[in-house]
Amino acid sequence: MATQLFARTGLLIRFNLRRDWKKLLIWVVVLTGLFTAIAAKFDGIYGTQMALNEIVKTLKTPAMISLFGAFSAKSPYTTAKVFATEMVVFMAIVMIVMNIMVAVVTTRGDEDDGLLELVRAHAVGRLAPLFAGAAELTALNGLIGFLFALGLTVAKLRGATTPGNWLIGLGLGGLGWAFGMLTLLLAQVMTSASGTTMLSYLLLGVMYVALVPAVQLMLKLVNDEQKGYLHQVYATATSRWHVWASYTGWAIVTGLLVLLAGLSGMYLMGLTSMVKPISWVTYWHVFAAYAPAMLVMVAVTSALAGWRPKWRYAAWIWVFYAFFSLHLGNLIDLPKWARRLTPLGFVNKVPIKPLDGTTSSWCLLLTVLILVVAALSYRRRDLAQ
């Protein structure tokens, strides 16, 4: 009986890999390439002790502690210690996002698309799809963790050791794998891919700020349209305006709630781990600064979905670049103009510097203007067949 539950798991693993190999290869190449390239550049950026002391001083400020945790390394400081403090946090979040996306597709995504019913009609065990997804995630995270460790070894950061390189590489792989398994568990609780995605990102938001779920929900408008779900809706008296407004409104509300949840999580962690916790007013200033900037990015995603749905994946590139420039801009000495290619680049000094009401105002105004364009574009363009 137990054997029947896992029947043809191997077949499903091969099927998943044939379907996902291009997407998985892109994740592996981009993540390991980025990780290794930045590690190789670190010694050049922080080649002097003075440069190291300056970045360590920055990492010890309350704002940086709230983002990356306490900098606990002891003097003399090395590039390896700085890298381990900031870059590991960045890569951990990216690894979590990757695992959520892959895990949802291999479970509730297949079920929502109707593929799971077809699979189970061919003598496949009830638990085979779940274990096939777990096997895919295990192989993916194991490979990336191995390549991370190898990349650090090749980069030869000053102060790095071989055990430390492997600890960071395999640790990141293990963290991503753990969140992937958690997402698989949540998929058994939730009834849809969108519900699983939202709950997973909500848990991530409690631990960190995430823009990803808002963009993902906004792009769901195009995905549902291409799957034919919305054609049934439009067969009723429901207008395009109401459909567009419901997806956009849900994306905006979700993004704001996840941002607020993330800041609340930081605040609570600070209360338990810091001798002098950062006040809630500071976190509220961060919310007031980042929320309008985030809304601009959601509005642009809505415009892409409404005007040029084929270009919608450009939104993911913009989100990734915003995340990259926000968290690693200082470390890799990114020019100011390059950081301001996203709205987050205009507010990234908060709370180190006071909240700028002018910036928040023009972000909100720009959001409204872009949403108007998005609404008009969606009403006029042809629906996907």
Side-chain angles (χ1 to χ4, degrees):
M1 182 64 181
T3 305
Q4 294 178 353
L5 292 175
F6 306 106
R8 312 197 80 175
T9 299
L11 176 65
L12 289 185
I13 293 175
R14 293 192 295 272
F15 172 79
N16 288 347
L17 292 178
R18 280 199 300 269
R19 179 194 60 190
D20 299 337
W21 74 269
K22 291 183 180 178
K23 177 174 60 179
L24 299 181
L25 181 62
I26 291 174
W27 276 114
V28 171
V29 171
V30 171
L31 293 190
T32 57
L34 178 67
F35 189 75
T36 305
I38 293 178
K41 191 177 180 181
F42 244 59
D43 276 331
I45 299 174
Y46 303 107
T48 65
Q49 197 61 45
M50 182 180 297
L52 281 173
N53 291 339
E54 285 300 316
I55 190 62
V56 168
K57 188 184 300 182
T58 301
L59 291 173
K60 287 185 176 181
T61 61
M64 292 297 103
I65 291 174
S66 68
L67 288 174
F68 302 107
F71 184 80
S72 57
K74 304 298 182 183
S75 181
Y77 304 118
T78 65
T79 49
K81 292 178 181 179
V82 173
F83 183 89
T85 297
E86 188 162 352
M87 188 62 185
V88 168
V89 174
F90 170 80
M91 294 306 301
I93 297 173
V94 177
M95 288 287 289
I96 290 173
V97 170
M98 177 194 72
N99 274 274
I100 291 175
M101 289 183 171
V102 175
V104 170
V105 168
T106 59
T107 52
R108 288 301 179 191
D110 286 346
E111 187 170 351
D112 286 359
D113 292 340
L115 296 177
L116 199 55
E117 285 73 13
L118 294 176
V119 168
R120 284 177 173 167
H122 292 80
V124 173
R126 290 188 58 83
L127 295 182
L130 177 63
F131 272 74
E136 183 177 355
L137 290 173
T138 300
L140 175 63
N141 286 284
L143 176 60
I144 292 178
F146 173 81
L147 293 177
F148 278 170
L150 201 61
L152 286 177
T153 303
V154 173
K156 296 181 179 178
L157 283 171
R158 187 157 52 92
T161 63
T162 300
N165 292 338
W166 285 96
L167 178 63
I168 289 176
L170 298 182
L172 285 171
L175 176 65
W177 177 85
F179 221 96
M181 295 302 108
L182 176 61
T183 304
L184 291 181
L185 175 62
L186 296 177
Q188 310 313 305
V189 177
M190 305 304 292
T191 58
S192 65
S194 59
T196 304
T197 301
M198 283 308 309
L199 186 54
S200 299
Y201 281 124
L202 184 60
L203 291 177
L204 174 60
V206 170
M207 293 182 285
Y208 214 83
V209 182
L211 172 65
V212 174
V215 172
Q216 193 164 17
L217 278 176
M218 192 63 254
L219 294 180
K220 195 173 184 296
L221 171 64
V222 181
N223 295 334
D224 288 352
E225 184 182 320
Q226 292 179 338
K227 292 175 182 177
Y229 299 159
L230 296 185
H231 291 74
Q232 302 176 28
V233 176
Y234 291 131
T236 65
T238 306
S239 67
R240 285 199 187 188
W241 157 255
H242 284 97
V243 172
W244 172 86
S246 65
Y247 278 85
T248 303
W250 183 233
I252 289 175
V253 170
T254 300
L256 293 176
L257 288 178
V258 170
L259 176 61
L260 187 60
L263 292 173
S264 300
M266 290 182 188
Y267 174 67
L268 293 175
M269 285 188 289
L271 289 179
T272 60
S273 62
M274 299 176 67
V275 178
K276 294 182 179 179
I278 302 172
S279 69
W280 172 247
V281 174
T282 301
Y283 288 102
W284 181 251
H285 286 169
V286 173
F287 179 82
Y290 278 79
M294 181 191 70
L295 292 179
V296 173
M297 301 190 72
V298 176
V300 170
T301 305
S302 180
L304 288 174
W307 178 49
R308 288 289 186 270
K310 291 183 179 180
W311 296 357
R312 65 189 183 279
Y313 294 113
W316 286 123
I317 299 175
W318 201 32
V319 168
F320 181 79
Y321 179 79
F323 190 68
F324 170 80
S325 62
L326 176 66
H327 292 282
L328 298 179
N330 286 330
L331 282 180
I332 63 173
D333 200 22
L334 202 64
K336 185 176 181 179
W337 65 265
R339 300 180 202 180
R340 292 194 166 184
L341 292 177
T342 75
L344 298 181
F346 291 87
V347 299
N348 62 339
K349 296 299 182 181
V350 179
I352 299 175
K353 292 186 177 180
L355 174 65
D356 184 3
T358 302
T359 301
S360 298
S361 298
W362 69 253
C363 281
L364 290 174
L365 178 60
L366 185 60
T367 297
V368 173
L369 293 176
I370 296 175
L371 287 178
V372 170
V373 173
L376 293 176
S377 299
Y378 185 70
R379 292 181 65 184
R380 294 177 180 177
R381 76 166 171 82
D382 294 334
L383 294 176
Q385 300 298 322

